[in-house]
């Protein structure tokens, strides 16, 4: 139960707050209480895996798993969440009206995200996954009066919704392979080989991971999402939401086939380099951090991929990944918050205008410098440990071309991180600059980043304890086996490749910082090329769109006659093909001898009238020939001994021809064009159909029953009438309804028109 | 005599319509009567539903004439399932209509006739009677369209197009009935199953298939985007929920009688979905987008018919409810000529709830339907069937496209404007009711799915046994 409460409580409270946002309420107090409860509850009541019935018919259960991996993520979510709630209070003080909504969204997100990491049933995971997407969309569009917020939100939802549907497909495939919905059982099944990998599963699951965690080629939504309020950027788009993809990769690693794992490593490393490149180019501080998040997410995916490929169970890689994850969540969260403080004070986030801002707010500057040092991995920080472990890991891999490429890319990404991080700090401490600083920095804003960087301090003091308490259980959960301890940490490994890589990072990074201006100019060249490419893409899209619109318009505006023509054509093709291919057409045997001369004459009359109707150009002639056909048909009825039918036919023909002639008076269109082949074809198919289907028919059970029962049971001598009013009386009743409704509609139209006229006068 | 219960869903709307016609002079009373009538309709369907669930299918022979000789109404699980969707959808439309100011006093009468015809079409076990019920429905639809377009030339053209096309379709239906009676010697569905069609199977499938495919907007959907434009909100909402789905229901029934050609239906559905998505993306008006979504959902239902039967029912139910809800929700904006959609602002909460629930946000009704369809398709990919993989990807892509286009509409309506659009209270109530139903389908998914699984579509002999008693 505690797990369910942990997920549901913030979700419910949050949604309720969104719904009641118009009422005044102590939003901050509510949010703090909930977050406090979340942080404290696991300390009081131990969490344990649980399962409840949900949709037994489909096998869906509300099952949750509590293990090292989910606990690690839950710690991040609750811990950073609590800090962010505090920070939001300081950040949103100018805009108390929207505060409740923002808190509501954040709380709901906490619940959904906890659901993602605790879910064991794949459907529960999916439900929470989609919720996080939607809430992230809502948060990016928080200032929805701004165009960039709307555009960013749209891009975010397009990409994450794609991931959502892909995840659903992946879940379906995994379920088909294993027959269960439990993720824990999936891993076992795929690991033991009783379930098979397929490209569909690989691609779908990778799409889910890559969209959520902003891997190439889906990384562009994350910088766009920076239109969200800064607490949201710090929380969702740095620390938690974007790690959901990484979480799935860690949780369902077994579901990926070997080739896909290699692909993940490759894409991860490319993303890392690409993100670093983007961050170096950026001048907006938040967007720079977003690009750097993309880069670090790439590193995380690469690490998990390496772990999945490793022969020894990948413990080392998983350990580095988990370590890097925590480190990044804390450092990046703190950086975002500091940017928020600077933004608040200086009213801009453009690095070029912020020169020297730290000289005016030195305390913030010092904290920011420390965090950045941690982040770029200067020696004796947690970041250094993280980077060094990555290099050691690559070094330990089998030497091959791929490994060398991997090492090069890792170095390149680290150089990028070093360059943008250090250049940013140097710039903000720089001399000159005219940026003014307003107001003081509130406690609610500077305490949260301090809490977050405390992680680095704690790790620095007791590295082994933290590792065994936090990292190891998670690694254990991913690798699904036990081991002694994952990471033996020391600052000095001797002269190894890792050392050379680290030195290379620092040397190249320093060169980069010094030559920052030139570097930017060089990178801009590449960007221009990309822009040109994008323009071509936009042009193509417009062309496609225009032509599609044209086709859709024509298709939806088919005139009445042609529409019926299409219907006839489809009918002739389908029925004609079925007739020719499946029915023995040669069984058509009209024996001429059975037909009397009178009937032959009548039929000849029908044919002549029909042909006349077909060739006539004047409408009056067409109508007259149509009438002639009807008259000949009624003659045929006379010959068939059905005088009542003949009379009915005569009446119908007379009235309808008179009516058509009456309408024709108002009809001003020119005479019709030449007849096409379609009606002829339809006529042929109908004739053949009736010749085969209707003429050589023996009496059926129903024929015999109606004939036999007409007098004794229904007490009527005329079988046709008995059918109409007794055997199938209901049909007749409803046909009368049809006629009545038609009459009413005529009255209605006349009335409405009369009313309209009166109104106009 | 419990079997008389089966007749009520058809008779109650007709009686209510008659009363509405009598009290036409007072529109308020007429609207009240039809609302009451549709509530009674829901009640009858509910009673029928429980009865069928607990005691098995009910059969009513009109005039006491046994199955192949007279007309029988059959309330089996499938019919009742559809019937409940019809009842829910029409009831909420009448709730909306009750509050619609300035609505024509003719509207409730014609709408009620449509509901009666639809209920009859779902219940009947007789092909000719199916035709008659379609005619009842169609004549009321023609009337609604015509009355609403008396004063607008362009709209009259659209109405004419609809009438001409459907008249041609009715003719084809009659031809099919003639060939059916000529070759199989019966008009009763169960009897047709029993007798079998022999070598005529494909001809009959083609003849009925074309007729119903046009009605269902499956493949032959070119009439659809323009047909609903310009109708009043309630009428458009009812049509959106009902018309194509009844066509689909008939398709399922002929599938039951003569077997389904899975791959044919599947490919046609895929083509319909692809065309619908393409058309939806180039639409600039809300009503256009919604119309193309109907085409897409017809395609999805076609796919479900081809290969995921338990998805079919849940999908049909949630789709009918969702489409009606969307038409009611956006009708206010989509209809008004003065307010361009870009400049309207509506109740944001309702719009977002409606859009997200209808778009398939878990764990609500449309999501369950979508998941069942996708999982059903995935199950069929097991043998390495490439066609199924293509269908799966198309279905997944289409549901994504629908969600995104709905979100786009909601973004436009709630974020970027200053002009508020007033939504009448009764319309809000109707939308909320439909939302509650959709949430109910999701949260009570277990019961819905269990029920949907009791519907045996593939085994025609069950139907024969029910109707003919042998």
């Amino acid at each position: 139960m505690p797990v369910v409460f942990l997920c549901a409580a913030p979700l419910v409270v949050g949604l309720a707050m969104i719904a009641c946002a118009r009422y005044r309420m102590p939003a901050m107090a509510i949010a703090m209480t909930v977050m406090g409860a979340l942080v404290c509850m696991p300390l009081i009541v131990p969490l344990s895996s649980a399962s409840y019935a949900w949709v037994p018919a489909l096998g869906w259960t509300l099952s949750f798993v509590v293990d090292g991996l989910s606990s690690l993520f839950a710690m991040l979510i609750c811990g950073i969440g609590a800090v962010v709630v505090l920070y939001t209070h300081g950040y949103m003080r100018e805009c108390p009206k929207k505060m409740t909504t923002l808190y509501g969204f954040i709380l709901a997100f906490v619940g959904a995200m906890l659901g993602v990491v605790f879910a064991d049933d794949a459907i529960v995971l999916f439900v929470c996954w989609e919720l996080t997407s939607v809430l992230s969309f809502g948060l990016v569009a928080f200032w929805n009066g701004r165009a960039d917020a709307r555009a960013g939100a749209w891009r975010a939802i397009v990409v994450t919704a794609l991931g959502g549907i892909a995840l659903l497909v992946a879940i379906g495939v995994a379920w088909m392979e294993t027959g269960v919905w439990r993720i824990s059982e999936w891993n076992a099944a795929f690991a033991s080989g009783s379930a098979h990998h397929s490209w569909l599963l690989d691609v779908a699951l990778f799409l889910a991971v890559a969209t959520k965690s902003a891997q190439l080629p889906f990384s562009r939504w994350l910088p766009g999402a920076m239109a969200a309020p800064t607490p949201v950027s710090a929380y969702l788009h740095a620390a938690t939401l974007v790690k959901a993809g990484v979480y799935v990769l860690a949780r369902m690693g077994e579901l990926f086939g070997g080739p896909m794992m290699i692909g993940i490593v490759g894409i991860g490393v490319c993303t890392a380099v690409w993100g670093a490149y983007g961050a170096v180019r950026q001048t907006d501080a938040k967007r720079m951090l977003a690009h750097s998040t993309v880069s670090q997410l790439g590193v995380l995916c690469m690490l998990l991929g390496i772990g999945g490929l490793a022969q020894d169970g990948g413990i080392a890689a998983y350990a580095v990944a988990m370590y890097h994850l925590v480190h990044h969540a804390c450092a990046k969260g703190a950086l975002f918050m500091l940017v928020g403080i600077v933004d608040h004070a200086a009213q801009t986030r453009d690095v070029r205008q912020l020169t020297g801002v730290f000289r005016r707010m030195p305390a913030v500057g010092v904290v920011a410098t420390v965090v950045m040092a941690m982040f770029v991995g200067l020696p004796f920080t947690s970041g250094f440990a993280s980077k060094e472990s990555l290099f050691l890991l690559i070094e330990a891999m089998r030497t091959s071309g791929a490994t060398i490429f991997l090492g090069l890319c890792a170095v390149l990404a680290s150089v990028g991180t070093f360059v943008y991080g250090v250049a940013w700090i140097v710039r903000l401490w720089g001399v000159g600059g005219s940026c003014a600083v307003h107001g003081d920095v509130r406690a609610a804003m500077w305490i949260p980043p301090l809490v977050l960087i405390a992680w680095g301090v704690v790790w620095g003091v007791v590295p082994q304890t933290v590792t065994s308490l936090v990292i190891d259980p998670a690694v254990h959960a991913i690798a699904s086996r036990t081991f002694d301890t994952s990471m033996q940490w020391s600052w000095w490994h001797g002269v190894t490749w890792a050392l050379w890589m680290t030195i290379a990072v620092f040397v190249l990074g320093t060169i980069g910082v010094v030559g920052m201006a030139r570097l930017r100019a060089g990178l801009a060249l590449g960007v221009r090329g990309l822009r040109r490419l994008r323009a071509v893409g936009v042009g193509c899209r417009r062309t496609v769109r225009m032509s599609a619109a044209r086709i859709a318009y024509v298709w939806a505006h088919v005139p009445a006659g042609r529409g019926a023509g299409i219907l006839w054509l489809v009918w002739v093709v389908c029925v004609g093909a079925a007739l020719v291919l499946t029915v023995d057409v040669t069984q058509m045997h009209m024996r001429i001898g059975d037909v009397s001369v009178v009937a032959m004459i009548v039929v000849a009359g029908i044919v002549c009238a029909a042909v006349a109707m077909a060739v006539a150009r004047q409408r009056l002639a067409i109508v007259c020939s149509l009438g002639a056909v009807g008259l000949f048909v009624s003659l045929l009825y006379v010959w068939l001994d059905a005088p009542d039918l003949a009379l009915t036919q005569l009446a119908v023909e007379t009235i309808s021809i008179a009516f058509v002639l009456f309408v024709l008076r108002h009809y001003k269109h020119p005479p019709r064009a030449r007849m096409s082949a379609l009606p002829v074809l339809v006529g042929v198919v109908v004739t053949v159909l009736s010749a085969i289907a209707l003429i050589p028919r023996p009496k059926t059970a129903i024929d015999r029953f109606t004939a036999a029962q007409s007098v004794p049971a229904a007490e009527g001598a005329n079988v046709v009438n008995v059918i109409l009013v007794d055997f199938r009386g209901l049909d007749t009743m409803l046909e009368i309804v049809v006629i009545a409704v038609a009459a009413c509609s005529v009255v209605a139209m006349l009335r409405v028109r009369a009313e309209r006229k009166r109104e106009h006068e | 005599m419990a079997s008389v219960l089966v007749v009520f869903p058809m008779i109650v709307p007709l009686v209510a319509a008659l009363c509405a016609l009598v009290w036409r002079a007072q529109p308020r009373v007429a609207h009240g009567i039809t609302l009451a009538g549709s509530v009674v309709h829901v009640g009858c369907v509910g009673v029928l539903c429980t009865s069928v669930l607990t005691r098995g299918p009910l059969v009513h022979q009109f005039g006491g004439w046994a199955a192949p000789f007279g007309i029988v109404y059959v309330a089996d699980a499938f019919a009742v399932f559809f019937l409940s969707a019809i009842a829910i959808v029409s009831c909420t439309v009448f709730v909306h209509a009750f509050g619609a100011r300035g609505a024509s006093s003719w509207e409730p009468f014609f709408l009620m006739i449509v509901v009666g015809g639809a209920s009859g079409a779902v219940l009947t076990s007789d092909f000719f009677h199916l035709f008659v019920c379609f005619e009842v429905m169609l004549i009321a639809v023609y009337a609604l369209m015509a009355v609403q377009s008396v004063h607008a030339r362009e709209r009259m053209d659209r109405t004419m197009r609809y009438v001409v096309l459907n008249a041609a379709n009715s003719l084809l239906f009659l031809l099919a009935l003639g060939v059916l009676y000529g070759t199989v010697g019966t008009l009763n569905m169960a009897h047709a199953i029993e007798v079998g069609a022999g070598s005529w199977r494909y001809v009959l499938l083609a003849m009925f298939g074309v007729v119903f495919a046009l009605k269902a907007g499956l493949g032959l959907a070119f009439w659809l985007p323009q047909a609903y434009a310009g109708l009043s909100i309630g009428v458009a909402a009812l049509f959106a929920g009902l018309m194509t789905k009844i066509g689909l229901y008939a398709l399922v029934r002929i599938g039951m009688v003569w077997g389904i050609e899975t791959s044919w239906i599947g490919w046609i559905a895929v083509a319909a979905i692809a065309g619908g998505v393409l058309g939806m993306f180039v639409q600039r008006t809300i009503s256009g987008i919604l119309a193309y979504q109907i085409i897409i959902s017809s395609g999805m239902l076609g796919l479900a018919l081809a290969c995921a039967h338990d998805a079919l029912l849940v999908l049909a139910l949630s789709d009918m409810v969702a489409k009606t809800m969307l038409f009611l929700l956006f009708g206010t904006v989509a209809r008004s000529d003065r307010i361009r959609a870009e400049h309207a602002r509506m109740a944001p909460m309702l719009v977002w709830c409606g859009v997200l629930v209808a778009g398939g946000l878990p764990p609500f009704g449309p999501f369950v339907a979508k998941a069942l369809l996708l999982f059903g398709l995935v199950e069929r990919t097991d043998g390495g069937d490439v066609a199924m993989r293509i269908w799966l990807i198309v279905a997944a892509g289409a549901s994504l496209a629908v969600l995104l286009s709905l979100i786009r509409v909601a973004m436009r309506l709630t974020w970027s404007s200053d002009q508020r659009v007033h939504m009448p209270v009764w319309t809000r109530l109707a939308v909320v009711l439909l939302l509650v139903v959709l949430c109910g389908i999701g949260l009570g998914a277990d019961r819905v799915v269990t029920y949907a699984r009791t519907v045996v579509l593939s085994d025609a002999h069950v139907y024969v046994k029910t109707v003919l008693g042998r």
Side-chain angles (χ1 to χ4, degrees):
Chain A
M1 205 60 205
V3 188
V4 180
F5 179 78
L6 210 63
C7 306
L11 186 62
V12 171
V13 174
L15 292 180
M17 280 171 83
I18 298 171
C20 308
R22 70 175 84 160
Y23 306 107
R24 284 179 65 87
M25 63 174 88
M28 153 83 179
I30 298 174
M32 266 331 253
T33 316
V34 173
M35 292 314 297
L38 290 192
V39 174
C40 298
M41 205 178 82
L43 305 178
I44 304 163
V45 198
L47 298 177
S48 58
S49 306
S51 182
Y52 311 94
W54 179 23
V55 188
L58 295 169
W60 300 352
T61 53
L62 290 174
S63 55
F64 298 89
V65 64
V66 179
D67 61 3
L69 185 61
S70 50
S71 303
L72 173 71
F73 271 86
M75 260 184 259
L76 282 181
I77 295 162
C78 293
I80 302 182
V83 174
V84 162
V85 164
L86 181 62
Y87 182 80
T88 307
H89 185 66
Y91 185 82
M92 288 292 285
R93 213 164 56 183
E94 281 81 14
C95 192
K97 266 193 181 165
K98 303 255 306 187
M99 189 112 93
T100 312
T101 317
L102 185 56
Y103 273 126
F105 267 108
I106 291 179
L107 280 187
F109 173 79
V110 170
M113 192 67 206
L114 283 173
V116 169
V117 299
F118 279 125
D120 191 24
D121 186 281
I123 299 295
V124 177
L125 174 81
F126 179 75
V127 171
C128 297
W129 177 279
E130 288 289 79
L131 260 178
T132 58
S133 294
V134 169
L135 290 168
S136 149
F137 165 73
L139 282 168
V140 175
F142 189 73
W143 308 116
N144 54 46
R146 280 172 23 196
D148 67 325
R150 293 200 296 271
W154 174 243
R155 186 172 285 166
I157 194 69
V158 168
V159 174
T160 45
L162 169 68
I165 199 80
L167 181 64
L168 192 60
V169 171
I171 287 172
V173 177
W175 164 72
M176 179 197 71
E177 289 288 343
T178 57
V180 289
W181 296 105
R182 292 288 193 91
I183 297 167
S184 43
E185 291 175 38
W186 288 357
N187 274 329
F190 277 94
S192 68
S194 64
H196 309 288
H197 299 288
S198 64
W199 64 263
L200 192 61
L201 178 61
D202 281 344
V203 171
L205 201 53
F206 174 72
L207 272 181
V209 169
T211 50
K212 204 76 156 182
S213 282
Q215 298 300 294
L216 281 180
F218 304 105
S219 48
R220 279 191 56 210
W221 71 270
L222 194 53
M226 290 302 118
T230 302
V232 173
S233 305
Y235 188 40
L236 269 73
H237 303 122
T240 50
L241 171 88
V242 290
K243 304 275 169 39
V246 176
Y247 170 80
V248 165
L249 186 53
R251 178 64 84 194
M252 306 189 194
E254 295 289 353
L255 270 62
F256 287 104
M260 194 66 220
M261 269 299 181
I262 296 175
I264 288 174
V265 173
I267 287 172
V269 87
C270 292
T271 311
V273 175
W274 172 257
Y277 162 74
V280 173
R281 258 182 51 215
Q282 273 299 331
T283 51
D284 180 299
K286 266 178 90 175
R287 293 180 78 92
M288 182 196 86
L289 289 182
H291 279 288
S292 118
T293 306
V294 170
S295 159
Q296 303 302 325
L297 288 169
V299 172
L300 284 173
C301 284
M302 177 188 85
L303 282 169
L304 288 171
I306 292 174
L309 285 171
Q311 303 294 327
D312 60 345
I315 286 164
Y318 291 143
V320 179
M322 288 303 112
Y323 178 81
H324 192 69
L325 182 104
V326 178
H327 159 71
H328 174 254
C330 293
K332 192 52 78 56
L335 277 175
F336 264 113
M337 290 175 180
L338 291 164
V339 167
I341 294 175
V342 172
D343 186 13
H344 241 245
Q347 302 294 326
T348 178
R349 297 194 309 245
D350 193 327
V351 181
R352 287 167 301 187
Q353 296 171 20
L354 281 175
T355 308
V357 76
F358 283 163
R359 287 172 184 270
R360 294 177 187 83
M361 38 202 312
V364 174
V366 169
V367 177
T369 311
V370 171
V371 181
M372 201 47 113
M374 213 168 114
F375 186 71
V376 301
L378 291 187
F380 307 109
T381 62
S382 59
F384 182 78
S386 148
K387 186 173 301 169
E388 190 80 357
S389 325
L390 169 64
F391 291 155
L392 281 171
L393 192 72
I394 293 174
E395 189 188 339
M397 284 166 72
R398 198 162 42 86
T399 315
S400 69
T403 317
I404 293 169
F405 172 73
L406 214 59
L408 276 178
C409 286
V411 170
L412 212 54
S414 305
V415 170
T417 312
F418 188 89
V419 170
Y420 64 74
V422 175
W424 191 68
I425 290 294
V426 169
R427 186 81 181 241
L428 265 55
W429 278 113
V431 192
S434 57
C435 106
V437 171
H438 317 278
D440 54 337
V441 180
R442 295 155 196 155
M445 289 181 86
W446 61 255
I447 294 176
L450 282 186
V451 174
L452 286 186
I453 61 173
W455 140 261
V457 179
V458 171
W459 187 84
V461 178
V462 281
Q464 227 56 46
T465 320
V466 173
T467 308
S468 63
L469 269 180
V470 181
I471 309 291
D472 281 354
V475 176
H476 173 183
I478 302 173
S480 53
R481 62 197 185 91
T482 50
F483 46 84
D484 296 336
T485 176
S486 58
M487 211 157 63
Q488 293 297 334
W489 177 249
S490 63
W491 292 107
W492 180 249
H493 303 280
V495 183
T496 56
W497 274 107
L499 180 70
W500 290 115
M501 282 156 94
T502 312
I503 291 171
V505 168
F506 288 132
V507 172
L508 289 175
T510 316
I511 296 171
V513 172
V514 174
M516 186 73 179
R518 254 183 233 162
L519 191 62
R520 278 231 176 96
L523 294 180
L525 277 179
V527 176
R528 230 169 283 146
L530 277 180
R531 285 239 173 86
R532 213 164 293 146
L533 258 182
R534 200 186 300 159
V536 173
V538 169
C540 283
R541 226 164 56 186
R542 189 173 303 145
T543 317
V544 168
R545 200 190 157 89
M546 296 287 275
S547 36
R550 186 74 212 141
I551 294 170
Y553 182 85
V554 170
W555 185 71
H557 288 79
V558 179
R562 192 164 305 157
I566 295 173
L567 177 63
W568 284 110
L569 183 66
V570 170
W571 185 84
V572 161
V573 170
C574 292
V575 177
L579 196 62
V580 172
L581 294 178
T582 61
V583 177
D584 183 13
V585 190
T586 53
Q587 66 176 314
M588 175 168 62
H589 41 75
M590 285 203 307
R591 275 162 300 179
I592 307 289
D594 291 357
V595 187
S596 74
V597 181
V598 182
M600 289 298 283
I601 293 168
V602 173
V603 170
I606 293 178
V607 172
C608 290
V611 171
M613 187 172 68
V615 295
R617 300 285 300 276
Q618 290 298 322
R619 287 182 194 272
L620 194 63
I622 297 170
V623 175
C624 289
S625 332
L626 185 65
V629 171
L631 289 179
F632 278 118
V633 169
S634 63
L635 275 182
L636 202 61
Y637 284 139
V638 173
W639 176 71
L640 286 167
D641 297 333
D644 45 353
L645 282 185
L647 281 176
T648 316
Q649 174 77 13
L650 209 58
V652 169
E653 281 303 327
T654 316
I655 294 172
S656 54
I657 294 295
F659 181 72
V660 170
L661 284 175
F662 184 69
V663 174
L664 214 58
R665 223 163 43 122
H666 299 283
Y667 205 84
K668 297 201 177 58
H669 289 267
R672 73 160 179 215
R674 191 164 291 283
M675 232 183 55
S676 65
L678 184 60
V680 178
L681 213 56
V682 172
V684 168
V685 171
V686 172
T687 309
V688 172
L689 256 180
S690 30
I692 312 172
L694 303 183
I695 292 173
R697 185 168 68 87
K699 285 222 176 325
T700 65
I702 296 174
D703 294 341
R704 285 194 298 273
F705 178 86
T706 40
Q709 297 293 316
S710 178
V711 174
E715 301 188 5
N718 185 330
V719 178
V720 175
N721 284 357
V722 170
I723 291 174
L724 285 181
V725 300
D726 198 339
F727 290 128
R728 304 189 65 91
L730 189 66
D731 281 344
T732 312
M733 187 191 99
L734 288 188
E735 287 295 358
I736 293 169
V737 169
V738 170
I739 293 176
V741 173
C744 286
S745 72
V746 172
V747 175
M749 282 165 77
L750 292 177
R751 286 271 173 91
V752 171
R753 204 172 65 172
E755 280 168 23
R756 241 346 109 124
K757 260 194 192 145
R758 221 174 305 136
E759 273 171 29
H760 279 292
E761 287 159 7
Chain B
M1 255 338 256
S3 72
V4 139
L5 207 57
V6 181
V7 184
F8 282 103
M10 189 269 290
I11 288 296
V12 167
L14 293 187
V15 172
L18 193 64
C19 295
L21 187 66
V22 171
W23 272 281
R24 205 179 57 75
Q26 292 120 313
R28 203 73 187 159
V29 179
H31 276 103
I33 289 170
T34 47
L35 178 56
S38 74
V39 171
V40 174
H41 185 231
V42 170
C44 290
V45 172
V47 172
L48 188 61
C49 215
T50 33
S51 166
V52 169
L53 266 185
T54 50
R55 272 168 297 181
L58 283 172
V59 179
H60 182 76
Q61 304 168 340
F62 281 92
W65 300 111
F69 311 116
I71 297 168
V72 292
Y73 270 18
V74 181
D76 61 350
F78 182 43
V80 170
F81 200 91
F82 245 81
L83 206 56
S84 49
I86 292 173
I88 292 167
V89 163
S90 57
C91 185
T92 49
V93 167
F94 285 110
V95 169
H96 153 81
F98 188 68
R101 247 171 287 158
S104 154
S105 57
W106 291 97
E107 208 178 284
F109 165 66
F110 290 129
L111 280 177
M112 223 44 195
I113 298 280
V114 174
V115 176
S119 306
V122 169
L123 285 169
T124 185
S125 162
D126 188 283
F127 277 114
F128 188 78
H129 191 69
L130 185 67
F131 170 75
V132 174
C133 288
F134 272 145
E135 288 303 300
V136 171
M137 221 162 41
L138 277 178
I139 193 77
V141 172
Y142 298 158
L144 280 167
M145 286 185 161
V147 169
Q148 292 192 356
S149 51
V150 164
H151 48 273
R153 167 121 212 134
E154 190 197 349
R155 256 187 248 165
M156 204 39 139
D157 280 353
R158 282 184 205 144
T159 307
M160 271 318 287
R161 198 161 43 176
Y162 187 82
V163 172
V164 167
L165 197 62
N166 277 284
N169 204 31
S170 295
L171 183 58
L172 292 181
F173 199 166
L174 267 182
L175 268 175
L177 289 170
V179 171
L180 169 67
Y181 195 67
T183 53
V184 183
T186 184
L187 291 169
N188 186 281
M189 293 179 191
H191 198 210
I193 297 172
E194 199 185 44
V195 175
S199 64
W200 285 92
R201 185 178 154 235
Y202 284 101
V203 174
L204 288 171
L205 269 180
M207 294 188 85
F208 282 103
V210 170
V211 170
F212 297 140
L214 182 89
K215 287 200 190 301
L218 191 63
L220 286 168
F222 54 87
W223 56 273
L224 208 150
Q226 286 290 306
Y228 297 154
L231 293 178
S232 75
I233 303 168
V235 176
L238 189 72
F239 289 4
L242 231 58
M243 299 306 284
T244 55
K245 306 302 184 293
I246 298 291
L248 185 99
Y249 176 87
L251 267 182
V252 177
R253 283 295 187 203
I254 62 162
M256 179 189 80
V257 176
W258 292 301
I260 295 170
E261 286 302 306
T262 304
S263 63
W264 277 89
I265 296 228
W267 283 114
I268 292 171
V270 164
I273 292 173
V277 169
L278 204 68
M280 183 177 69
F281 272 130
V282 295
Q283 291 304 305
R284 298 205 174 272
T285 60
I286 295 176
S287 55
I289 290 172
L290 290 182
Y292 277 92
Q293 288 197 356
I294 295 181
I295 297 178
I296 297 175
S297 78
S298 283
M300 296 288 240
L301 282 164
L303 267 188
L305 173 60
C307 42
H309 272 183
D310 43 351
L312 176 69
L313 290 168
V314 186
L315 195 61
L317 175 63
S318 68
D319 210 65
M320 287 166 85
V321 176
K323 288 290 175 292
T324 309
M325 197 251 317
L326 288 176
F327 268 77
L328 286 179
L329 188 61
F330 293 136
T332 327
V333 190
R335 265 278 294 150
S336 54
D337 307 323
R338 278 170 294 123
I339 306 162
R340 284 183 59 84
E342 283 78 4
H343 300 296
R345 190 177 173 86
M346 305 176 59
M349 213 58 165
L350 206 56
V351 169
W352 280 108
C353 287
V355 158
L356 290 175
V357 170
L361 180 78
F364 306 113
F367 156 72
V368 176
K370 175 172 83 177
L372 282 176
L373 174 63
L374 290 182
F375 295 160
L377 284 169
V378 165
E379 240 180 327
R380 293 290 200 92
T381 62
D382 204 3
D385 193 341
V386 179
M388 287 295 169
R389 294 220 168 119
I390 294 172
W391 296 2
L392 172 68
I393 290 167
V394 168
S399 59
L400 175 67
V402 167
L403 173 67
L404 288 179
S405 76
L406 281 177
I407 286 179
R408 192 84 183 154
V409 168
M411 280 169 72
R412 258 204 245 163
L413 283 184
T414 57
W415 287 354
S416 54
S417 56
D418 31 32
Q419 195 172 357
R420 286 196 83 88
V421 173
H422 178 67
M423 207 172 174
V425 166
W426 288 92
T427 310
R428 272 172 205 249
L429 180 64
V431 171
V432 169
L433 279 176
L434 289 170
L435 269 176
V436 168
V437 171
L438 284 180
C439 296
I441 299 170
L443 301 179
D446 189 42
R447 304 193 83 174
V448 178
V449 172
T450 313
Y451 186 71
R453 288 206 169 143
T454 61
V455 178
V456 190
L457 287 173
S458 47
D459 193 0
H461 295 290
V462 178
Y463 189 76
V464 176
K465 201 164 157 35
T466 308
V467 180
L468 300 179
R470 55 183 185 238

